[in-house]
Every structure is written in structure tokens, then in C-alpha cells.
Amino acid sequence: MRDHLILWLAVIALLAGSVSGCTSRVSEFYTADDFRTVPKIDVHFHYETLDGRYMRLADSLNFRLVSPNVDAGRSISEQLHITTELKKRYPEKFAFFGTFGVEHYGSEDFAGRIISRIDSCMAAGASGIKIWKNIGMTLKDSNGNYIMADDPAFAPVFSYMEEKNIRLLAHLGEPRNCWLPLEEMTLDNDRSYFRNNPQYHMYLHPEAPSYEDQIRARDNLLERYPGIRFTGAHLGSQEWSIDEVAKNLDRFPAYDVEFSARIGHLQYQAITEPGKVRDFLIKYQDRIMYGTDVGVSGRNTNYAATAESLVKRWYDHFIWLATDAEVIVADLNGTPVKGLQLPKEVIDKIYFTNAEKFFR
Ligand SMILES: [Zn+2]
């Protein structure tokens, strides 16, 4: 009798499930029309101008922006000034990461100076601190040895960040393509970047640390400072293999990633294994964030053209992630890649819930 009851309950549950499945299937996925209205955060958007038009453009598409300062290009004090000002103007819609210079490596009180820089960034409203690939790829000591992120000179800095609960956004290393000859690179944008920036094309610099050295140094930080809330920029430079990204997410609970400037690598893997890429994003839906790595500065004189290409990029990414339509991927030589059609709740997490923490 009891068995019968259980059986009937199971049948009823199954029927109820299939009925609600039918009705919920209607709204399980977003469509292209939802692009403007779904709340979104671009967690890697280099906003290097006080021109508010990009902010208004983003807002019109329900995007909030996170701008990481970076130890490259425009001086870091100028970047801090601009982003501090933007944070004051748009506290709900804009956030930024501060950064520090490393040019004083080897000087007395190297770490102390960095720590006071971190304090001033945080006092200015930063969501955390970004470190960049110059650590590991160009920074050297007086004997010409490359200095990696796990160098003892940085230990007090990371201990401080861990103790003060300061977030770290780390762009360490480069795509693995950087260690390959141009013709073996998987993506056109990597090929053109390294063609134009041979100083960072590590295939040409065999004396420099290897790809594996870069990953090891970063993993050492994750191991030594498990309390740091650590975001791996650009899929933690493991963009070539979602299996590798997954291993690190499994290994380090306080670690998450954003895929700015590396969505093409996800698309590349999705050409042959769409289900695997989709499953990866679903499985790690709480640990992955959307970003582009677009940069806007006062030096961009043509606002209309910049805005148009920005909107197209944001739109194409949304279509690929949220719908099952094909998108033409310029970085893959115009290859069409079918959309992943991630469920709404996964899109919401990747696009904004996971990045809400950057808005304090
Ligand atoms: Zn960047």
C-alpha cells in the first residue's frame, strides 16, 4: 500500500513537473529583445576619460561599468583621479579597481609604499586593487632576473590585502597563444595584438618566464593567501582550456574569474564542443563574470564610431550567451558560432549578480 502511495505521488510529481515545464519553457531563456532591459555589468571596462557619454550609453542599455586602473599607458595617478571622479558622479553605476606601480622594486620600503598607495585607492572608493602582467613579464631586478607575482618583495602587500579583506583583480601572464608563433595562434585578435606588441610576444623571448611559470606564480598566490578574494582577469590566463579554469575554480574556493577579452576563446572551444562550454558556464555560474576589456579615453575623438562598435560588441556577446542564434566571430576569421542559450538565471549571475559585490 505504502509503495503504491509513493508510486502515485511520483506520478503526480512527474505530471506536475511536465506541466510546469511546459509553461516555464516559454520564459526559460532571454531573447534578443531582452538585451536592453536585462541588468548587466561589464566588469572590465577601461574608462579613462571624464566624458560622461559612455556612462549614459551604458546606462541606456542597463549596463553598469567597472573600470580597472592598470599600471600601463596613462599615469596611474591620472587614472585614479578620473575613476574617483566618475565614482562620485555615478556611485550606483560605476565602480573601479585601483592599482600600484612597481618601478621602485628593490628600493627600501618597496612594500610600504605600495601599501600606502593601496590605502589611498581604497579611501577614494576603489572596489579592490588590480595587478598587471608587467609583474612576471617585464619587471626585473638589478641583475636582470624577472620578478614574478609570488616574489617575496610582494608578500607584505598580499598579506595586507588578505588581512584588510581587499579584493584583488589579477591579470597575470597572457593567453597561451603568446608563447606560440603567430601562425599557430588560435585567435586573430591575439595574432594582431602580438604582431603589434612584439615586446609581449613571449615566443620571441625564450629567455623570459614560460607560460607555466606565469600560471605557477599566480597559483602560488592563491595557495599562500587563501583569504584574498581573488578575481582572475581574462579567465585567469587559462582561456585556452575550460578544463584548466575549472580545476582552479575547484581548487581555490575564494577564486572567481571574468572572461573579458577572452570570450573568443570560449567561442573557439564552442565550435567543436558547444555542450561542454555551456555545461562549464552552468556549473560555475556563481564564479564567472562578464567583461569586455574595452577602453575609452579622451583620445578617442570619434565618439559615434566608438559607441557603435561598443554596442555591437555588447549585443553580439549577449546574443551568443543568451540565445541560440548564430553570431559571426571576427576573432575567428568570421566563423559563425551558434549561441549557447544559457538559462535566464545563469545569464543573470554571469551578467550582474556575481559582480554586484564590486559595488560597495
Ligand atoms: Zn584590461
Side-chain angles (χ1 to χ4, degrees):
M1 182 61 202
R2 195 171 161 270
D3 284 354
H4 270 96
L5 187 64
I6 289 171
L7 188 70
W8 273 111
L9 285 174
V11 170
I12 289 164
L14 205 67
L15 284 171
S18 67
V19 169
S20 74
C22 283
T23 49
S24 74
R25 208 167 294 142
V26 177
S27 56
E28 195 182 340
F29 306 110
Y30 288 120
T31 69
D33 291 340
D34 297 314
F35 167 66
R36 281 174 180 271
T37 49
V38 173
K40 297 174 287 300
I41 298 174
D42 184 336
V43 301
H44 200 133
F45 187 98
H46 293 279
Y47 209 125
E48 295 192 8
T49 172
L50 289 173
D51 184 343
R53 285 179 295 178
Y54 300 101
M55 214 47 235
R56 291 193 290 277
L57 174 68
D59 191 35
S60 73
L61 301 170
N62 214 4
F63 257 109
R64 281 172 283 166
L65 303 175
V66 181
S67 177
N69 289 181
V70 55
D71 188 17
R74 193 190 287 270
S75 82
I76 62 169
S77 53
E78 253 181 290
Q79 292 179 52
L80 181 59
H81 168 72
I82 290 171
T83 48
T84 304
E85 186 58 33
L86 290 168
K87 182 73 191 164
K88 277 188 211 145
R89 285 189 204 167
Y90 313 102
E92 312 293 326
K93 295 181 175 164
F94 179 85
F96 72 97
F97 276 74
T99 194
F100 53 82
V102 292
E103 64 279 9
H104 305 294
Y105 181 85
S107 72
E108 213 181 303
D109 203 30
F110 173 68
R113 288 167 82 165
I114 292 177
I115 287 169
S116 55
R117 168 81 193 178
I118 290 175
D119 284 342
S120 43
C121 293
M122 296 311 289
S127 305
I129 297 296
K130 179 186 186 180
I131 57 173
W132 199 53
K133 67 184 180 188
N134 54 341
I135 303 172
M137 296 189 79
T138 56
L139 179 63
K140 291 178 185 175
D141 68 13
S142 53
N143 297 320
N145 302 309
Y146 284 91
I147 301 306
M148 310 301 284
D150 61 349
D151 188 272
F154 290 110
V157 174
F158 295 122
S159 295
Y160 182 77
M161 290 181 70
E162 186 175 43
E163 181 196 316
K164 299 284 178 186
N165 211 12
I166 296 171
R167 292 183 183 283
L168 175 64
L169 173 65
H171 171 180
L172 294 172
E174 276 291 64
R176 198 180 62 158
N177 279 337
C178 172
W179 282 264
L180 299 176
L182 290 170
E183 62 278 11
E184 284 179 33
M185 293 185 184
T186 46
L187 261 73
D188 295 340
N189 61 335
D190 285 344
R191 213 177 339 268
S192 64
Y193 177 79
F194 292 116
R195 187 181 287 124
N196 297 328
N197 295 277
Q199 75 276 23
Y200 292 123
H201 186 190
M202 289 299 122
Y203 176 73
L204 305 174
H205 307 283
E207 76 292 351
S210 66
Y211 173 75
E212 290 72 21
D213 292 334
Q214 302 291 350
I215 297 300
R216 193 174 313 115
R218 190 274 314 280
D219 288 353
N220 284 343
L221 293 187
L222 285 163
E223 224 158 61
R224 285 176 204 167
Y225 309 98
I228 292 187
R229 293 178 296 165
F230 194 123
T231 297
H234 314 308
L235 290 170
S237 293
Q238 291 173 305
E239 72 299 319
W240 60 279
S241 164
I242 53 175
D243 291 330
E244 294 299 309
V245 180
K247 271 188 222 162
N248 266 30
L249 290 170
D250 289 342
R251 206 172 139 205
F252 304 110
Y255 179 60
D256 58 18
V257 293
E258 51 91 340
F259 54 72
S260 68
R262 303 293 181 267
I263 193 169
H265 289 269
L266 294 177
Q267 290 167 325
Y268 177 78
Q269 289 165 82
I271 293 172
T272 47
E273 298 184 290
K276 185 175 167 182
V277 173
R278 187 171 191 272
D279 291 347
F280 164 78
L281 293 170
I282 291 173
K283 179 167 179 192
Y284 297 99
Q285 57 185 278
D286 298 305
R287 318 272 298 278
I288 298 176
M289 291 172 281
Y290 173 80
T292 55
D293 206 13
V294 162
V296 293
S297 74
R299 289 163 294 204
N300 293 337
T301 44
N302 193 342
Y303 169 77
T306 309
E308 192 187 328
S309 81
L310 174 60
V311 173
K312 182 176 173 2
R313 186 180 303 228
W314 276 338
Y315 179 77
D316 284 354
H317 292 166
F318 184 84
I319 296 302
W320 184 65
L321 292 161
T323 81
D324 61 356
E326 267 186 356
V327 292
I328 303 297
V329 180
D331 295 343
L332 295 170
N333 201 16
T335 308
V337 185
K338 193 172 155 52
L340 296 178
Q341 200 177 37
L342 293 165
K344 277 182 177 174
E345 66 270 21
V346 177
I347 290 291
D348 289 348
K349 285 182 184 176
I350 291 176
Y351 264 104
F352 72 95
T353 320
N354 298 343
E356 293 276 9
K357 61 197 174 200
F358 297 154
F359 289 79
R360 28 172 237 164

